[in-house]
Amino acid sequence: MRIVTLDEAVATLKSGDRLYVHGGSATPHVLIDGMVVLRDDLRGVEVVHMHTNGPAPYVAPEMEGRFRHNALFIGPNVRRAIEEGRADYTPVFLSEIPSLFAPGGPLPLDVAFIQVTPPDEHGRCSLGVSVDCALAAASHAKTVVAQVNRQMPRTSGHSLSLDDIDLAIEIDEPLPESEHEAPGPEATAIGGHVAGLIEDGATLQMGIGAIPAAVLNALTGHRDLGVHTEMFTEALLPLLRSGVVNGARKTINAGKTVSAFVVGNRELYGYLDRNERIALRPVDYTNNVDVIAAHDRMVAINSALSVDLTGQVVADSIGPRFYSGIGGQVDFIRGAARSRGGLPIIALPSTAKGGTLSRICPDLISGSGVVTTRGDVHWVVTEFGARNLFGKTIRERASMLIEIAHPAFREGLHESAGKLGYLGRRAN
């Protein structure tokens, strides 16, 4: 690793290169800003990443022709550029992203911009709060440029040697913090229903948002829970500190909370620093279906935009408009389904748009993409209850889903289900 100036660091980029940018709270904003400001000569650079926290100046309209973003998961900061056709979206399971960068993969990397800790006494750097696909990017990119940050928490479960990094700049800046939605009445009700399904000793996967936070809030009376997930936020901290989450009964990685990345606040980052009970691993491990399934009582809690009456789950698009990404939902739904005593759960509010639209719908909006198929779906939970669709007929599924739809829409859903023939003889 050679310490250089910002000018020297971004000078490694060439027109036509494919650049990986470290994501989440590890987004290397100094390198990004340097690239945009100092390299106005660049043309046709493809910028590849999952979601990033903070500004994404390379997707601004005036950057067209200089940079084009390729999203492996669509975050709010790039959504408009994708909607307007100024950026691209590659649908992919989270577990398979590292294979995109590997030799012979479809997205070989010329340069990787990453953010790491200073080297320890053994000359090893940590990727801190975001290992996910950054480890693969750093392993396979032709040139690795690191933003070495004294304020990046050192996390266990992975490391890079100084030989893995070609160029580096040194900074001392706090990581971006994320504000997460507090659970309201609907999310709290959903959290209670989900928590009621979870046994002591279970291992959890959860995402980000009000519903996962509500589930965690409802688990304070449980015992010996574990965590094997792709990500978590500061909503997990009370359970970690109280010992409710201790990993004591985990089938593998006992005593460890395992994740691929973490987003949250300064309190969470401080908790992670040099905490050997937390292990951050790459997504081809955390999201590997076989690894997930090896956990007994694996509980996968994932969200959705809508579910139709046959059990098809829409999670990455609103009609033809791409909204987020496939992410790790299918990895964990399938892994939990194969786990001994596992619970694959889709949790969603019953309505959208201020209660004017039912998320439980007779059929999908034209152009909607199915992330979790009707063959993969098991538990569906709204604020009105939980139903297990696995092994149920279409007729049974339609009836069960109508039972947990918002009461204002149940009559209309029943009528539509009859016309579609889902409740027996097709209505005229």
Side-chain angles (χ1 to χ4, degrees):
M1 180 173 74
R2 182 164 64 91
I3 304 299
V4 298
T5 65
L6 180 59
D7 294 67
E8 292 173 305
V10 298
T12 190
L13 270 175
K14 302 185 299 295
S15 292
D17 275 354
R18 178 177 290 118
L19 167 69
Y20 169 82
V21 172
H22 203 164
S25 297
T27 304
H29 286 290
V30 175
L31 288 172
I32 291 170
D33 292 344
M35 170 186 77
V36 171
V37 173
L38 301 175
R39 294 300 309 276
D40 60 3
D41 60 311
L42 290 172
R43 296 293 180 271
V45 173
E46 182 183 358
V47 182
V48 179
H49 59 70
M50 295 203 305
H51 79 285
T52 55
N53 285 7
Y58 42 85
V59 299
E62 60 269 24
M63 293 292 116
E64 196 164 5
R66 291 178 59 188
F67 305 102
R68 187 171 181 91
H69 172 46
N70 181 357
L72 305 178
F73 190 93
I74 302 167
N77 57 354
V78 300
R79 190 169 292 137
R80 182 174 178 181
I82 290 169
E83 289 176 358
E84 295 178 355
R86 294 182 286 104
D88 298 310
Y89 164 51
T90 298
V92 62
F93 297 130
L94 202 57
S95 60
E96 294 184 342
I97 291 178
S99 68
L100 301 179
F101 308 144
L107 293 179
L109 301 173
D110 297 295
V111 181
F113 282 176
I114 62 174
Q115 185 165 199
V116 300
T117 66
D120 62 13
E121 63 273 20
H122 305 294
R124 310 290 297 188
C125 296
S126 166
L127 286 161
V129 297
S130 176
V131 177
D132 45 66
C133 54
L135 188 61
S139 300
H140 298 304
K142 295 175 184 176
T143 303
V144 177
V145 182
Q147 186 172 295
V148 180
N149 189 352
R150 293 182 183 276
Q151 296 192 45
M152 173 69 89
R154 183 177 297 278
T155 55
S156 66
H158 68 282
S159 65
L160 292 173
S161 75
L162 296 180
D163 292 338
D164 294 324
I165 300 169
D166 297 295
L167 305 174
I169 62 168
E170 293 180 308
I171 68 166
D172 188 355
E173 296 184 359
L175 300 184
E177 298 185 61
S178 300
E179 294 185 6
H180 301 126
E181 180 184 358
E186 290 178 352
T188 299
I190 294 169
H193 292 312
V194 172
L197 300 174
I198 297 172
E199 299 177 358
D200 288 347
T203 294
L204 311 178
Q205 174 258 339
M206 79 296 294
I208 189 171
I211 290 175
V215 174
L216 295 172
N217 290 347
L219 291 172
T220 56
H222 282 61
R223 296 290 179 268
D224 296 334
L225 298 178
V227 170
H228 179 95
T229 186
E230 65 197 22
M231 66 86 59
F232 65 87
T233 72
E234 71 275 5
L236 185 62
L237 277 178
L239 297 186
L240 287 166
R241 286 174 168 156
S242 68
V244 169
V245 170
N246 58 27
R249 296 195 226 173
K250 286 182 74 177
T251 317
I252 58 176
N253 298 311
K256 297 274 190 181
T257 291
V258 177
S259 185
F261 65 99
V262 175
V263 294
N265 57 21
R266 187 172 299 187
E267 181 185 11
L268 176 61
Y269 302 149
Y271 183 86
L272 294 175
D273 190 39
R274 301 177 188 273
N275 188 337
E276 294 298 321
R277 293 180 298 166
I278 312 291
L280 265 62
R281 303 287 298 274
V283 289
D284 48 2
Y285 177 80
T286 60
N287 289 55
N288 182 301
V289 172
D290 292 333
V291 173
I292 297 165
H295 293 81
D296 290 349
R297 302 177 300 278
M298 182 73 214
V299 180
I301 307 162
N302 287 269
S303 61
L305 296 169
S306 61
V307 178
D308 79 1
L309 291 178
T310 74
Q312 296 186 107
V313 177
V314 174
D316 75 337
S317 63
I318 301 172
R321 181 165 65 91
F322 296 114
Y323 184 80
S324 55
I326 293 173
Q329 180 172 126
V330 178
D331 297 328
F332 273 96
I333 289 292
R334 290 179 175 171
R338 288 169 47 185
S339 159
R340 185 168 60 180
L343 293 173
I345 298 171
I346 298 293
L348 73 166
S350 65
T351 63
K353 293 188 175 181
T356 63
L357 181 69
S358 177
R359 292 180 184 265
I360 305 294
C361 49
D363 48 18
L364 303 180
I365 299 172
S366 177
S368 296
V370 174
V371 170
T372 296
T373 72
R374 58 172 72 99
D376 288 305
V377 75
H378 285 236
W379 285 93
V380 177
V381 181
T382 74
E383 68 269 31
F384 296 103
R387 297 292 185 272
N388 188 359
L389 307 186
F390 182 67
K392 303 300 182 182
T393 66
I394 297 298
R395 178 169 55 84
E396 291 170 322
R397 288 172 177 226
S399 294
M400 294 166 74
L401 288 169
I402 291 170
E403 290 171 356
I404 59 172
H406 193 284
F409 294 96
R410 289 176 190 169
E411 183 177 346
L413 288 169
H414 193 277
E415 182 180 345
S416 295
K419 291 179 179 178
L420 290 166
Y422 292 166
L423 298 180
R425 186 181 298 276
R426 185 183 299 270
N428 293 324

